[in-house]
Amino acid sequence: MRICSVHRFTQTAPDDLSQLKDAIGSGKLDPAEIVAVIGKTQGNGGINDFTRGFFTQSLFLHLAQHLGQPAHQLQQNIPCVLSGGTEGVLCPHHSVFTVSHQDPDATIATGPRLAIGRALSRPLETAEIGMMAQVRLCAEAVRTAMADAALDATEVAFAQLKVPAPTAQALASVAIGGRTPCSLDPKRAMALARVAAAWGVGVALGELTLEDLNEDQMLQDTSRFSTKASISSGVEVDCAEVVVLGNSEQWGGHLRIASAPMADALCLAGPLNALEALGLGRILPLPPEQRERIRAVFVKGEPDRSGTLRGNPHTMLNDTDIDPQRHIRGALGGAVGAVVGDGRIFVSGGAEHQGPDGGGLIAIIAEAH
Amino acid sequence: MRICSVHRFTQTAPDDLSQLKDAIGSGKLDPAEIVAVIGKTQGNGGINDFTRGFFTQSLFLHLAQHLGQPAHQLQQNIPCVLSGGTEGVLCPHHSVFTVSHQDPDATIATGPRLAIGRALSRPLETAEIGMMAQVRLCAEAVRTAMADAALDATEVAFAQLKVPAPTAQALASVAIGGRTPCSLDPKRAMALARVAAAWGVGVALGELTLEDLNEDQMLQDTSRFSTKASISSGVEVDCAEVVVLGNSEQWGGHLRIASAPMADALCLAGPLNALEALGLGRILPLPPEQRERIRAVFVKGEPDRSGTLRGNPHTMLNDTDIDPQRHIRGALGGAVGAVVGDGRIFVSGGAEHQGPDGGGLIAIIAEAH
Amino acid sequence: MRICSVHRFTQTAPDDLSQLKDAIGSGKLDPAEIVAVIGKTQGNGGINDFTRGFFTQSLFLHLAQHLGQPAHQLQQNIPCVLSGGTEGVLCPHHSVFTVSHQDPDATIATGPRLAIGRALSRPLETAEIGMMAQVRLCAEAVRTAMADAALDATEVAFAQLKVPAPTAQALASVAIGGRTPCSLDPKRAMALARVAAAWGVGVALGELTLEDLNEDQMLQDTSRFSTKASISSGVEVDCAEVVVLGNSEQWGGHLRIASAPMADALCLAGPLNALEALGLGRILPLPPEQRERIRAVFVKGEPDRSGTLRGNPHTMLNDTDIDPQRHIRGALGGAVGAVVGDGRIFVSGGAEHQGPDGGGLIAIIAEAH
Amino acid sequence: MRICSVHRFTQTAPDDLSQLKDAIGSGKLDPAEIVAVIGKTQGNGGINDFTRGFFTQSLFLHLAQHLGQPAHQLQQNIPCVLSGGTEGVLCPHHSVFTVSHQDPDATIATGPRLAIGRALSRPLETAEIGMMAQVRLCAEAVRTAMADAALDATEVAFAQLKVPAPTAQALASVAIGGRTPCSLDPKRAMALARVAAAWGVGVALGELTLEDLNEDQMLQDTSRFSTKASISSGVEVDCAEVVVLGNSEQWGGHLRIASAPMADALCLAGPLNALEALGLGRILPLPPEQRERIRAVFVKGEPDRSGTLRGNPHTMLNDTDIDPQRHIRGALGGAVGAVVGDGRIFVSGGAEHQGPDGGGLIAIIAEAH
């Protein structure tokens, strides 16, 4: 029986691996058991955020020393999904997922436990990014990850993907080459890359039907979304990296995951529902003993495209100085951080077609009773 | 018997007075009763934030038409305390405070009710800003406002001040003139202006003793703070503008105010304590009928200067792209916005010596039962 | 015979009119002769830049006192074209254009002299912005301004327009109303508004043919551009405001204008050609006596969309922290500022279809010999 | 006889070493001859700019493969001085300096040629940064570098240093430990680190006398400066890294360096003087054959602290959205880029006590005739 564990390490810089090194050094973390990493680095989260790549390079260099495999080879096997931007109370950190094996008779689990599957697609061409070709590739990769975890569609709670974002130069090259990229604007292309990945998740989970989708609906028809997808996009990857999480009777250990939709950026019901589903109650502030059971929190959201929030104007979409994604991460980090009493939250903006327009998703991993 | 009422208006631009105009037009708001305005505009909240001045100019121009007095004269009588920065879920809005008079026999109030006092100091010289001279001037102005409200020190819940911030040019001029300004760095001078005002509140309320204070302690000895002060600083004012709020048996109406300290930027106890003190309960999400009783929310906070929050690193103080005050406003707005279910919150960063280091203050005005 | 004069005033804040007031007070500037204002304010130049509106309000309030007309009426007759963003060495300032009349016999002009025409279109609906409807309206307004100046197409050196930019909220409202706005993204809509205005200039000057243009070419077919257009877009106007400048034998005085294309953002030939055309020579640094003859400088440019500049990568288009327009204004201001030895330059980004891709335009007004 | 050569490589990302790899692969660059690297990366140039560290890690990892030495050991021998921030037209690039040896009889040099010396100090403690202790350490390291180059003080044209910048957390730790750091504000500490290094250069070159300097003068007495110092500060180094450049009869090859002061941010005389000293003339635009002789350009400057530039206000020091250093780099890059027709310029802000207040320094390396 497989057991999935989560180790959460904070950082003062993208190449600060001191907590990870300590955990390996003290035997708490066996590097050979690492299957995936999901984390926040402290860059701006946009095209020119190189903190994600710096962390990735630093991490795999270090693991290579322990595992005796070249860094680039490890990188092709272990999804390392990073989101830039630790605005406000958010703490740069990463959750390291490990899988160990256990004698099934010894298993004490009395219900479904945290299961993890991962997959990496082939590299995407720039011309495929943000197009239906990417939707198909992502759907296939999510199915591979589900099979890896032995999870069926109803058991999946959360699918985190990292997909490539093209630079202005790359997009211009495609156009010069006679093909039509999804957009010449790198910010828009980054958004379309997230849409295509979200649709890939929706198709793999049966929430969406491939035949009903087309590129004209992207960023337009907000009714076509996945309720389990959380997508990041960045220049530091060249393929789609997939981590699928759910609960399964076939997995052991002490952890469970719960996810819940967030209706908008002021929604407390989402976090409270997820806490309740994990047996942590709905009383805030959370008692310390409940708070300590939480092992990881993932939030996805975006500024309401109407420019209003519960009937009042917000300013996130009209700001030339602070990117809308930076605004929303700061707000959601503040809200969910206050609920769980901790800034070590993965909050990612850019929730296009990931939940309803203006809303998003929260997923929490906690120790079961 | 006096009654203080609060009208809250949102804006899509600093010169958007449509909601105020509607309220005056429909008779809901009598412009002659306006005694103070506290609001958030959508600028960056720093030295070069001109949205505060634009709103002020627009507001008094409009009121001048109704009241038959020149705008500049109204401006010298009505404190208009603005804080720039509506990061994340925050909504640009302003609370207009009015005072009306009522036959004491008709009063239905069964306990202390919202009381307001205001004062404006003489104009400050640039060389006085951020110095003990400003502390003394602010203390005097706060005492004047308390007398205006007939509030004693124990009844004051919240003192909001707006004080001048000098530009780099103004500071350099002082230095050229042979005097020593508090700093040549306008950001630091802006912070020192807030400190001096906070100390003025502390002295007026008996929390601090003038003789024990000196300029060397500013931004250094964080143990010397006021628990009721919320200070904004900006280039658009030349004097200290003071609004003091509290509860008093001598005032009537339906409103009450409660304030509570916030221990840090993840603190939910502060907002919940303030809600409870107002009889709104501690159950989140707030039921709609309780939420609707809330008339105004004021929050003050700042990034913890240790660079950590509950033991984990935050990145607010090291960021060259987003000002620390913009970070903290976004986070606190997200947290308190989720608690009250509304983005119309006055959140102000720069809480130096206003509450404990890394923490701050929340004040809520709500209808009494 | 008409004479066009230019008065240049600097500002420390958008409502700082001290230099203008001094000029009026001392009789150097007759407010009744003001026909147009073109200036730079110190905001971010984007959708949420309210420094332009603040200056406009302050200016017309002040002029209203002198001219005995309501501010809003003056505003409907005097184009006030503002561009936000004074990055780097740029100085917030505005050029006030006046027209006086002179006995033709007394005229000493020995060649064509600076001529100015202006026009304001009817208000644009949000749904028209960035569409062919706007192209037609702008072409008509430019023709009206040319007639006002008695300039034919070959005599026009420079056409500065200010056109409305819609907010996210306004665009969403159009979509909700069943019409299709040019884009739901306010930054993109702002760019399309500039394109439509530039095409309007091109059509009016015979550089482009209305029938050959359509919305699909906007931001795509960069070969369709005007060589005389400089367009700003902002939320503070609701109609197209047009100022057309050229040289004409029918005008007197001492001033002339010259414009020249800029091939790219490193182009010195453009500024040097314009200086030479005005008889100021090509020797840098400019001798003080030549520098003092310069009365106004207007520059338009944009980041090369290929992501490279003379074969080397630039980073302007991929930056999440600083808007590309802020980058390019800072660079062009540095270059042209060094050439003319002065930071009082109108530099505007967003040169889509205003000159060749990646390049732009410079226009200089100087005293003739 | 030693020969110093310069190879200039551009980058599309901090870990993009494609041009360096090509040069090594084709035999144009012998990695064993590398003695120093000076470059620009595309981060924000502030405390939280990790692009410098990412480039450094990537570079030394790659060189380690070629040279058979561990990366960390190479890093202790080869100064790698990076400045973040490629605003406007600036191109991310780095200049790789190599030293080769030549039969003195074969030397064709007919005058002094480019000489390079380098040194790395011991690691600095956080409490030493920005203090007189750092001044002494830097002076010693500069003298070591001069000896390495066999340059005397009169022959030095340019001294580029990289010194550590402390984070808010590190500064707070010092204070908690009972020592007094130079400042608790990381931006101010970064500035003081630059001052201390500049003074170290001034002392080593005999421009300043150690006994006359003290910490109270830092950022105050702007008359105490070095005319040859260019200092960068960043979190990615823990010691002072020094590269000294000059011209010497003891060196051969084809390159020479010239430096010239820049009086202010609009100064063209500085660049023209440096070009002239190298025999490149003063005619702009530079003819292509002269432009191609230029191998590297280094510029240091800063916003004038008076808030004005040639009598007109600038806005760089009052901006909450764009850091003053980002403003000035964009402007100087635009000006010098236009002069040399190239965006591959090392422009560094933060010129405190490096040249006169508000001004700076330019150094150009070019092929001799």
Side-chain angles (χ1 to χ4, degrees), chain C residues 81-96:
Chain C
V81 178
L82 297 169
S83 160
T86 54
E87 294 78 9
V89 298
L90 293 173
C91 170
H93 75 284
H94 48 278
S95 295
V96 176

Side-chain angles (χ1 to χ4, degrees), chain B residues 14 42 50 54 57-58 61 321, chain C residues 14 50 54 57-58 61 321:
Chain B
Q42 57 179 298
F50 300 101
F54 192 16
Q57 184 179 82
S58 303
L61 274 173
D321 294 309
Chain C
F50 300 102
F54 191 16
Q57 184 180 82
S58 302
L61 273 172
D321 294 309

Side-chain angles (χ1 to χ4, degrees), chain B residues 61, chain C residues 21 31 58-71 74:
Chain B
L61 274 173
Chain C
K21 288 175 184 175
S58 302
L59 174 72
F60 285 110
L61 273 172
H62 187 70
L63 293 182
Q65 294 175 19
H66 285 283
L67 299 174
Q69 285 183 58
L74 288 171

Side-chain angles (χ1 to χ4, degrees), chain B:
Chain B
M1 198 166 218
R2 288 183 286 177
I3 293 174
C4 176
S5 302
V6 184
H7 304 259
R8 191 158 49 166
F9 304 122
T10 68
Q11 300 188 285
T12 58
D15 61 338
D16 169 19
L17 298 174
S18 52
Q19 294 196 351
L20 175 92
K21 289 175 183 176
D22 286 351
I24 293 177
S26 68
K28 285 186 190 152
L29 173 66
D30 177 355
E33 293 182 346
I34 296 173
V35 296
V37 177
I38 303 180
K40 290 293 306 177
T41 56
Q42 57 179 298
N44 61 35
I47 296 286
N48 67 328
D49 181 355
F50 300 101
T51 59
R52 300 171 302 218
F54 192 16
F55 170 74
T56 304
Q57 184 179 82
S58 303
L59 174 72
F60 286 110
L61 274 173
H62 187 70
L63 294 182
Q65 294 174 19
H66 284 283
L67 299 175
Q69 286 184 55
H72 68 91
Q73 193 174 312
L74 288 171
Q75 198 166 343
Q76 282 162 14
N77 286 315
I78 301 175
C80 182
V81 178
L82 297 168
S83 159
T86 54
E87 294 79 9
V89 298
L90 293 172
C91 170
H93 75 284
H94 48 278
S95 295
V96 176
F97 293 83
T98 58
V99 174
S100 59
H101 293 266
Q102 196 184 23
D103 178 354
D105 300 336
T107 303
I108 56 159
T110 60
R113 286 295 182 263
L114 181 65
I116 186 168
R118 77 290 184 29
L120 291 96
S121 78
R122 68 158 168 81
L124 274 83
E125 294 175 47
T126 302
E128 292 175 323
I129 296 174
M131 308 293 267
M132 288 304 298
Q134 188 197 331
V135 177
R136 286 184 288 269
L137 266 173
C138 288
E140 192 184 304
V142 172
R143 283 196 199 100
T144 305
M146 288 165 65
D148 181 39
L151 283 169
D152 66 33
T154 62
E155 292 169 324
V156 171
F158 187 66
Q160 176 67 51
L161 275 73
K162 180 90 203 201
V163 294
T167 61
Q169 289 90 333
L171 294 165
S173 298
V174 168
I176 289 164
R179 299 178 69 177
T180 304
C182 63
S183 171
L184 285 172
D185 172 358
K187 277 198 186 175
R188 185 172 166 84
M190 205 176 185
L192 290 168
R194 289 190 292 258
V195 175
W199 282 4
V201 175
V203 167
L205 296 182
E207 300 175 299
L208 298 170
T209 308
L210 195 58
E211 291 68 38
D212 294 346
L213 301 171
N214 64 63
E215 283 139 8
D216 291 342
Q217 298 159 349
M218 290 185 178
L219 300 177
Q220 294 290 340
D221 182 350
T222 55
S223 71
R224 297 173 191 276
F225 58 82
S226 165
T227 63
K228 310 291 184 192
S230 168
I231 316 295
S232 290
S233 177
V235 295
E236 76 280 10
V237 296
D238 60 3
C239 67
E241 305 195 355
V242 180
V243 180
V244 164
L245 297 170
N247 297 305
S248 163
E249 297 279 357
Q250 300 183 45
W251 288 68
H254 295 273
L255 300 180
R256 284 183 56 209
I257 185 168
S259 65
M262 290 181 69
D264 62 24
L266 293 173
C267 174
L268 271 186
L272 290 172
N273 289 343
L275 289 174
E276 193 172 39
L278 292 164
L280 297 167
R282 303 177 66 95
I283 305 301
L284 297 181
L286 276 188
E289 64 275 16
Q290 304 294 54
R291 207 155 66 201
E292 281 159 21
R293 288 172 52 200
I294 297 173
R295 295 298 177 81
V297 181
F298 307 94
V299 180
K300 191 79 189 178
E302 64 174 347
D304 196 296
R305 250 163 278 205
S306 71
T308 60
L309 182 54
R310 301 200 183 174
N312 294 315
H314 68 77
T315 63
M316 294 183 265
L317 296 174
N318 291 327
D319 195 342
T320 298
D321 294 309
I322 299 184
D323 189 71
Q325 311 295 351
R326 306 204 76 173
H327 272 292
I328 195 69
R329 284 192 299 260
L332 291 171
V336 178
V339 167
V340 300
D342 198 318
R344 293 173 298 169
I345 302 170
F346 178 93
V347 178
S348 173
E352 307 88 349
H353 301 258
Q354 300 149 64
D357 191 23
L361 173 72
I362 183 168
I364 302 177
I365 297 174
E367 271 186 62
H369 297 273

